[in-house]
Amino acid sequence: MMKQSDLIELIGLSSTDPKLVLFFEKYQLGKLPKTITANQGTKSIIYKPLNISFWFKYHITNDRFQPPISPKNDDYKFAAYLSSIQFSHQDDSAKKPDPKPQDFWDVIPAPILSVEAIEKIMGEATNTYSDQTIYEMKMDPDTVLKVYYTWDKKNNLSACSAVTVIEQSELIGSVYFESRYNQESFPFSKRCANVMVKWLFDRRFLSLSDAIYKEGLAEDSGTIVKFVHQFLNGHVWNNQLMPVDYLRSFLYYLLSNTNFYDHQNNKHCFYIRDIILICLDKKDSFDFLYNQDISLSDQFLNDIIFDSRLYNQMSMILNSKFDNFIKLKKGMPN
């Protein structure tokens, strides 16, 4: 009989791993995906007899699975990994009770039976919202078991659980620091990422040792890219930052051409492209070209020289922008 512990052991395996292949064949779970395309992103297999779903991904933000593997080096089809298993694909309900026998639940009891039993094993809830409570328990450094309790508008309680690869939030992705992504065709975006890394370093917002900070970080692009690979695994993820309030959100808006709205619904822009253009007094020139010919506006950006002077100016401006962002987030007057 298939048990919960059997499934947990499969998390993180490649779809071509013999252990996973034999398991799927033994229980006739379905056909495993050999690869996943960049357009697909994920693939799922639903095993209806036990109400379980298996989810495969190729781009998993966990260093154990980075960078994604393209078997034919075509950067289109990638190796598929079992990233999560939903133990209840559909909610357990009176009309559709979960079909798994009690013997299946050998790690935690069936969540719908007892919140108290779950809490006794998993500890206090990690997140509590108005309509949902979430419990988490690490199974190993890369795997976490989660239980979700949700209340609907009629205050009916439902529960679901899953085991998944622990992933991080990708704040400044490897696309900016890896030559294989051909960022040289639009170097401006790569240079913006370098400015952000330099600012994070100067503010000591990166989770690094004092010895690394004492070495300093020069402003040139090559040095910053080398630093990112040497000390940050080729990217900036949320687990590499110090626990600074609103920092992750600020970085998101820096890289996104998305307006931020404060508590009074006033619009603000923190897009680093526009911050740089305003800093250089080139925003109007760029907007004119952008409305005429996007290719010309792109070239305009790529021709901007990122020298020490610009880095120093941007450092001061980003300090001011971050302070303002914090005030806006808190709803304080400027």
Side-chain angles (χ1 to χ4, degrees), residues 306-323:
F306 281 65
D307 55 13
S308 298
R309 182 168 175 266
L310 179 56
Y311 272 97
N312 291 333
Q313 287 179 313
M314 284 300 299
S315 179
M316 292 185 291
I317 292 172
L318 288 177
N319 286 338
S320 176
K321 289 286 185 181
F322 185 45
D323 290 342

Side-chain angles (χ1 to χ4, degrees), residues 22-69:
L22 288 173
F23 190 89
F24 265 64
E25 290 177 350
K26 177 181 177 180
Y27 293 104
Q28 298 181 330
L29 300 177
K31 186 177 180 181
L32 286 164
K34 291 184 178 180
T35 57
I36 297 177
T37 69
N39 291 333
Q40 291 169 327
T42 62
K43 282 186 178 181
S44 63
I45 296 174
I46 302 170
Y47 185 62
K48 292 183 179 179
L50 287 182
N51 190 29
I52 297 171
S53 57
F54 301 83
W55 294 82
F56 294 83
K57 293 175 64 175
Y58 77 91
H59 180 51
I60 300 176
T61 49
N62 178 308
D63 281 318
R64 178 181 156 197
F65 302 93
Q66 290 291 322
I69 297 173

Side-chain angles (χ1 to χ4, degrees), residues 63 66 174 178 227-235 237 240:
D63 281 318
Q66 290 291 322
S174 57
E178 291 278 0
F227 165 84
V228 170
H229 283 285
Q230 185 175 358
F231 298 110
L232 300 175
N233 297 320
H235 50 64
W237 291 348
Q240 296 170 314

